[in-house]
Amino acid sequence: MSDFEVLLDENPEEINLFTITLQRHVTHHPNIQLLELKGSTIGHKGAEYLATALNKNKCIKHLGLARNNINNSGAVAVLKSLVGSDIETLDLEWNGLQDPTAFQLAHLIDSTKTLVAVTLERNDIRGEGAVAIAQALATNDTVRNLNLGFNKVTTLGALKLGDMLAVNNTLLTLNLAMNGIYPDGARSLAEGLSKNTTLRSLNLQSNQAIDAFADMGAAMKYPTSLRELNFSSNRLQSQLAVGFANGIRSAKGLIGLSLSKCG
């Protein structure tokens, strides 16, 4: 009897037959490269045991675990198993993940030579977790897309993410929508963006960030690489509107600008 079958006998509510079949498939097909499990409800136990299979299969390039309720224990186990793998895209959206997951992700980013895109949208990543991710990205030259939308990185995380933007020459898209980012943190993002040369898309929807960009006026230098900028639901103060207009003139490559609900 396999470990999975023993677990199923002892705790049938914690793991299902789908997960047993999945683990066997991943183990017995070591060349599988794409594994998409969005909404499969494998839970944290399922993720932990899936990680045992991923330790044997280092060819996975895409792993989608969005909306699986894997929590920190499952996510940390999976991320550990991906060290040394060929992983390129990783989707962990809406799994109840917190800073321990962010710390382990930072370790993966530090060690990876292949990771290109990470989605952590709609979790509970906070300031310290965002700091760890930002510090890892400051020296990373593979990750091009990071989605941290709908977390809680707040000012602490925004400060370090701004520092990261100032030195990172790889990241193309950064989603920080609805993260409790206030002017102090937003100013760091603005200053970092002014020194960046590669970012194409920045999403700051539903924060309180636009005033910091506007307050810099003509000193705000947007990179010519920037194509999309989203400030919707940021509430621009009327007295700073001219400053924002003066700054945005430097965004020569911009083709998409969202200012909805900023009035």
Side-chain angles (χ1 to χ4, degrees), residues 105-119:
L105 174 62
H107 175 67
L108 177 62
I109 292 172
D110 277 335
S111 62
T112 186
K113 299 183 184 299
T114 58
L115 188 61
V116 174
V118 179
T119 297

Side-chain angles (χ1 to χ4, degrees), residues 19 30 48 116 118 122 131 207:
T19 310
E48 290 169 17
V116 174
V118 179
R122 297 182 188 278
V131 167
N207 288 290

Side-chain angles (χ1 to χ4, degrees), residues 33-49:
Q33 296 184 15
L34 187 151
L35 185 57
E36 179 54 62
L37 298 170
K38 183 176 182 177
S40 297
T41 63
I42 66 173
H44 69 282
K45 283 294 184 181
E48 290 169 17
Y49 280 85

Side-chain angles (χ1 to χ4, degrees), residues 18-263:
F18 168 76
T19 310
I20 294 175
T21 304
L22 172 66
Q23 188 268 354
R24 287 173 174 167
H25 183 76
V26 174
T27 301
H28 296 150
H29 296 79
N31 294 321
I32 189 170
Q33 296 184 15
L34 187 151
L35 185 57
E36 179 54 62
L37 298 170
K38 183 176 182 177
S40 297
T41 63
I42 66 173
H44 69 282
K45 283 294 184 181
E48 290 169 17
Y49 280 85
L50 173 61
T52 65
L54 293 174
N55 276 319
K56 300 175 182 178
N57 181 344
K58 295 298 185 180
C59 294
I60 293 287
K61 293 185 177 181
H62 168 81
L63 180 59
L65 291 175
R67 307 187 183 207
N68 268 284
N69 196 32
I70 65 175
N71 300 324
N72 286 313
S73 60
V76 168
V78 167
L79 291 169
K80 286 181 178 179
S81 74
L82 293 175
V83 173
S85 74
D86 294 335
I87 191 69
E88 294 179 0
T89 59
L90 179 61
D91 186 356
L92 297 173
E93 179 218 359
W94 209 341
N95 272 297
L97 307 180
Q98 299 173 314
D99 286 353
T101 295
F103 300 149
Q104 191 61 46
L105 174 62
H107 175 67
L108 177 62
I109 292 172
D110 277 335
S111 62
T112 186
K113 299 183 184 299
T114 58
L115 188 61
V116 174
V118 179
T119 297
L120 283 169
E121 187 173 354
R122 297 182 188 278
N123 282 292
D124 193 23
I125 306 299
R126 304 204 173 200
E128 292 185 357
V131 167
I133 292 172
Q135 290 174 334
L137 287 175
T139 56
N140 175 273
D141 59 3
T142 66
V143 178
R144 298 177 184 176
N145 306 295
L146 175 63
N147 185 346
L148 277 170
F150 296 83
N151 281 277
K152 299 174 183 175
V153 309
T154 63
T155 297
L156 177 61
L159 289 170
K160 288 300 180 181
L161 286 165
D163 292 344
M164 177 273 295
L165 285 176
V167 298
N168 180 283
N169 295 311
T170 305
L171 200 64
L172 301 180
T173 71
L174 178 59
N175 185 348
L176 295 173
M178 195 171 284
N179 263 284
I181 297 174
Y182 290 86
D184 286 347
R187 187 171 186 88
S188 177
L189 290 171
E191 291 172 349
L193 188 63
S194 292
K195 299 174 183 177
N196 190 277
T197 60
T198 57
L199 198 71
R200 295 180 184 175
S201 175
L202 177 61
N203 187 346
L204 287 168
Q205 176 184 352
S206 300
N207 288 290
Q208 295 187 34
I210 193 170
D211 283 353
F213 284 72
D215 191 48
M216 292 177 67
M220 179 63 219
K221 303 298 182 184
Y222 293 89
T224 56
S225 62
L226 195 67
R227 298 292 182 267
E228 299 178 354
L229 184 60
N230 188 345
F231 278 119
S232 60
S233 299
N234 265 250
R235 300 294 181 186
L236 175 64
Q237 294 185 51
S238 58
Q239 64 269 29
L240 294 176
V242 172
F244 180 78
N246 288 335
I248 205 68
R249 290 174 181 170
S250 67
K252 303 297 185 182
L254 198 65
I255 59 176
L257 175 62
S258 180
L259 296 174
S260 61
K261 298 182 181 179
C262 283

